[in-house]
């Protein structure tokens, strides 16, 4: 029970959803350059799916942020 309460009080839970949405947008951008590995496009393509699998709040934020798809 104590572990559940610790998760509720986690600092990431206090980040406003619009800020979280902007962070997700930055994570999912495809700004590939010559310095990035060639398979970075694959990683970026699956970023929204990975973020959505973290928790319910992140899943909702990912689905409510169409520009990351």
């Amino acid at each position: 029970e104590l572990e559940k309460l610790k998760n509720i009080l986690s600092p990431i839970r206090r980040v406003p959803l619009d800020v979280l949405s902007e962070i997700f947008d930055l994570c999912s951008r495809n700004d590939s350059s010559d310095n990035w590995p060639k398979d970075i496009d694959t990683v970026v393509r699956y970023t929204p799916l990975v973020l959505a699998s973290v928790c319910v709040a992140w899943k909702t934020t990912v689905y409510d942020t169409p520009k990351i798809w």
Side-chain angles (χ1 to χ4, degrees), residues 1 23 27 35 58:
E1 190 67 27
I23 293 170
C27 291
N35 298 331
W58 284 30

Side-chain angles (χ1 to χ4, degrees), residues 21-37:
S21 177
E22 288 298 317
I23 293 170
F24 291 172
D25 180 37
L26 291 172
C27 291
S28 63
R29 286 192 182 168
N30 189 359
D31 295 335
S32 306
S33 68
D34 294 334
N35 298 331
W36 289 94

